[in-house]
Amino acid sequence: MGERHVERSGLARGLGRRQVLGIGGALGLTAVGGLAASAALSRHPAVTGTVLHSAVPLPPAFQVPLPLPAVLAPVSRTGGVDRYEITQREVTMEILPGVRTPMWTYGGTFPGPTIESRRGRPVTVTHRNDLPVPTVVHLHGGRTPAASDGYPTDLVLPRSWPDTAHGTHAGHGGNGPGHAMRDPRAVQTRRTRDYTFPMDQRPTLLWYHDHRMDFTAPAIWRGLAGLHIVRDGAEESLGLPSGPRELPLMIADRAFAADGSLAYPSLDPSLRDRPGVREPYLAGVLGDVILVNGAPWPVHEADAAKYRLRILNASNARHYELEAVDDDGRRLDLVQIGADQGLLAAPVAHGRLPIAPAERYDVVVDFSGVPVGNRVRLVNRLGSGRTREVMAFRIARKVTDHSRVPATLAKDLPNWRRSDAVRVRDFSFRAGRMHGDHGWLIDGLPFDPARSDVTVRLGDVEVWRLVADVHHPVHLHLVGFRVLTRGGGSPLAHDAGLKDTVSLRPGESAEIITRFDGYRGRYLFHCHNAEHEDMGMMANVEIT
Ligand code: C2O
Ligand code: CU
Ligand code: CU
């Protein structure tokens, strides 16, 4: 066995205990935020984020049919590679009935088109940027070489944008001197870029989204998100619900301004120069409209049969605790069959299922016992008022259902043991100061693309101990991980399987274990509260 030692990650050096506690402990927002003391000072607030209220009347729930994002057709399949093209462009859509909303889209829809791929068959996506600002695409959960992983400074510049290569920090206005970050390793292109994904990974639901430094949160909010599904024969042979009984559900909250546009508290609504959000929203932007696949509180006509729901929380900051309840108040089990990174070893039944931003859950819910004509509502136990509802299924007909949920789902789950780890690292995720403003910090430091925070050796197994002040969904690029412990004890039922995002609750710690394999290069780990991510809560992992 290799060297085995415990080290504090290098980021923490020089940061005293008093600073960490003093800044992070009370959320750190009162100094700049002027939030009500009771909410901001609460050591374990129930919600991390502030609701932005819509200025248009909101539609009643369960009227709009659930849209299913179109599956993108490849432009070619020659040479063993599936090639796709997506144009990022602004379109005006009708999200709320009768309301016109300009959005930034992948291919003119929200969500963007779904890419369906086969394990081991490479995919190349040519993205063309017709938006007014730089963009960069990241395939979340993809096992992707660094050059195609969507590093936040690897920008695709629009036609009319100054050539900023190697002085790539877009947020140069309004942040004062000293904040002009440069990234000598940035690889920028103009108008288009090819992203190549080997798809050498377990079948699962991935999603692609914008990852531009400092501006990821408003870009996703405006619509830059889509689904990407990886399949293989082994999964297909299990007999799980499929075809029309397999539904991807991208859940995202939004708010609408009086003119129908999406409301967002950007300091610079052009998203050109100054990053950041107005003070009350520093902990995260929550909308008061719940969209599923881009429709507000939709309804889906369903058979009285088992359904496979592939749920993604694409919200910037909102957490959900999902529950399926029928008209008689009976709760249906959410039978989890998969996590972020694919199938579990065996199904796990949940009454309620918490889902943090960027997490995915693959669940089977059985409508066979629900009388025809009745509804099953998917509710959010963490919401209040309208945000308590998510969507509904209206059971339309009795059918024969040959689908099944086998007791053994997958046998290929990595089972790293603590003794496999050559290193243990600690990282804190806390509020703090960044360039004189409020920031969200990892081990006391805001993101700097030019700094190498963590260096790991390709193939090494490591244990990472993560600790949070408020809610922080922590995401690692490239690798899936297992949750070893949570709060010093056993992981929770929904921590099962292979994850790429783990939801830390206020004041909580968790240990994760992974093997850094796949590719060498520069990757990221960060908080997936998108506002936190934009306000510094990212760090680099160099795999050598
Ligand atoms: Cu959804 Cu850096 O990731
Ligand atoms: Cu990612
Ligand atoms: Cu966070």
Side-chain angles (χ1 to χ4, degrees):
M1 199 177 75
E3 60 171 330
R4 178 172 162 72
H5 62 276
V6 175
E7 68 175 18
R8 296 272 304 151
S9 91
L11 281 71
R13 269 174 230 128
L15 189 69
R17 181 172 177 275
R18 201 179 130 264
Q19 268 171 291
V20 172
L21 294 179
I23 293 168
L27 185 56
L29 289 181
T30 42
V32 291
L35 292 183
S38 57
L41 287 173
S42 159
R43 206 161 250 282
H44 302 304
V47 173
T48 299
T50 303
V51 178
L52 185 59
H53 291 280
S54 293
V56 293
L58 300 181
F62 318 139
Q63 304 292 313
V64 181
L66 175 76
L68 294 172
V71 174
L72 193 61
V75 293
S76 87
R77 288 194 191 274
T78 54
V81 180
D82 294 344
R83 295 181 180 279
Y84 295 90
E85 290 174 2
I86 293 177
T87 299
Q88 304 169 9
R89 57 195 174 92
E90 185 163 20
V91 296
T92 296
M93 303 179 55
E94 188 175 314
I95 300 280
L96 303 179
V99 174
R100 291 173 64 75
T101 304
M103 308 267 301
W104 286 0
T105 68
Y106 291 119
T109 62
F110 174 70
T114 299
I115 294 180
E116 294 253 2
S117 55
R118 305 293 300 181
R119 178 179 197 159
R121 183 173 168 92
V123 164
T124 295
V125 187
T126 301
H127 274 272
R128 176 186 181 91
N129 179 7
D130 282 352
L131 292 167
V133 299
T135 60
V136 53
V137 182
H138 169 60
L139 179 61
H140 181 122
R143 218 167 111 88
T144 306
S148 285
D149 196 47
Y151 193 82
T153 52
D154 286 349
L155 302 174
V156 184
L157 304 177
R159 193 208 306 270
S160 56
W161 192 269
D163 193 344
T164 54
H166 307 137
T168 59
H169 182 64
H172 45 266
N175 283 296
H179 190 41
M181 286 178 188
R182 286 176 183 270
D183 179 10
R185 292 166 72 181
V187 178
Q188 301 192 346
T189 59
R190 195 170 286 280
R191 290 312 286 286
T192 70
R193 181 169 182 133
D194 288 355
Y195 293 89
T196 293
F197 307 111
M199 298 283 106
D200 172 22
Q201 60 184 103
R202 305 181 81 225
T204 192
L205 172 67
L206 311 174
W207 62 303
Y208 59 101
H209 62 73
D210 196 65
H211 218 306
R212 174 186 169 205
M213 183 155 161
D214 293 338
F215 293 96
T216 293
I220 294 176
W221 186 270
R222 286 186 192 200
L224 293 180
L227 303 174
H228 184 135
I229 298 176
V230 189
R231 301 191 185 276
D232 76 354
E235 186 177 297
E236 284 162 343
S237 70
L238 292 176
L240 296 166
S242 63
R245 296 197 197 130
E246 179 190 351
L247 301 174
L249 302 178
M250 178 196 279
I251 304 174
D253 58 343
R254 294 292 185 270
F256 293 81
D259 63 359
S261 66
L262 289 170
Y264 189 85
S266 288
L267 295 177
D268 171 9
S270 76
L271 308 190
R272 291 183 69 90
D273 296 314
R274 187 175 185 200
V277 292
R278 296 199 311 270
E279 280 175 8
Y281 301 95
L282 294 172
V285 180
L286 309 176
D288 61 354
V289 177
I290 307 299
L291 306 177
V292 183
N293 297 344
W297 301 287
V299 61
H300 188 68
E301 284 228 334
D303 300 334
K306 289 189 285 299
Y307 274 75
R308 180 180 185 185
L309 307 179
R310 313 200 65 174
I311 306 171
L312 159 67
N313 180 359
S315 308
N316 280 18
R318 184 178 287 280
H319 290 240
Y320 302 77
E321 195 166 87
L322 300 173
E323 197 175 66
V325 196
D326 74 7
D327 282 338
D328 302 323
R330 269 194 316 254
R331 187 161 85 178
L332 277 63
D333 271 351
L334 300 169
V335 178
Q336 186 190 351
I337 56 168
D340 303 329
Q341 288 286 320
L343 291 174
L344 306 183
V348 179
H350 302 278
R352 294 178 180 181
L353 186 58
I355 180 166
E359 284 189 304
R360 286 91 69 212
Y361 287 95
D362 200 345
V363 304
V364 172
V365 55
D366 188 354
F367 297 136
S368 63
V370 180
V372 169
N374 279 21
R375 272 185 337 199
V376 175
R377 289 174 307 134
L378 201 55
V379 303
N380 169 24
R381 288 289 164 194
L382 301 179
S384 59
R386 298 295 310 273
T387 61
R388 246 181 127 72
E389 303 285 2
V390 177
M391 67 170 291
F393 298 89
R394 205 181 64 78
I395 310 309
R397 61 195 82 78
K398 284 251 169 260
V399 290
T400 44
D401 178 7
H402 299 292
S403 72
R404 57 189 209 107
V405 178
T408 300
L409 295 162
K411 296 202 177 99
D412 65 334
L413 273 159
N415 210 357
W416 305 294
R417 287 155 308 146
R418 193 180 288 278
S419 56
D420 297 330
V422 299
R423 203 165 289 106
V424 178
R425 303 184 199 258
D426 289 286
F427 300 100
S428 69
F429 291 76
R430 296 182 193 279
R433 307 291 295 174
M434 163 169 100
H435 319 296
D437 277 323
H438 179 275
W440 293 99
L441 313 179
I442 300 179
D443 268 10
L445 294 177
F447 180 58
D448 179 350
R451 183 183 68 225
S452 186
D453 296 307
V454 177
T455 303
V456 304
R457 277 200 318 249
L458 185 72
D460 274 2
V461 175
E462 298 200 359
V463 170
W464 286 17
R465 293 193 284 211
L466 317 171
V467 60
D469 56 355
V470 294
H471 289 93
H472 296 293
V474 175
H475 168 51
L476 271 63
H477 284 213
L478 183 67
V479 291
F481 55 78
R482 309 288 309 258
V483 179
L484 270 185
T485 62
R486 184 189 275 274
S490 304
L492 297 173
H494 67 270
D495 292 325
L498 196 60
K499 305 275 295 164
D500 58 46
T501 306
V502 61
S503 174
L504 301 177
R505 297 175 299 185
E508 196 175 51
S509 64
E511 287 179 301
I512 60 173
I513 186 166
T514 190
R515 181 191 300 280
F516 288 88
D517 64 0
Y519 305 95
R520 293 185 171 83
R522 180 169 66 160
Y523 290 92
L524 288 171
F525 67 103
H526 60 90
C527 178
H528 220 294
N529 173 313
E531 282 77 30
H532 296 189
E533 176 180 343
D534 281 352
M535 281 179 271
M537 203 167 251
M538 282 201 294
N540 291 302
V541 191
E542 188 77 39
I543 301 173
T544 59

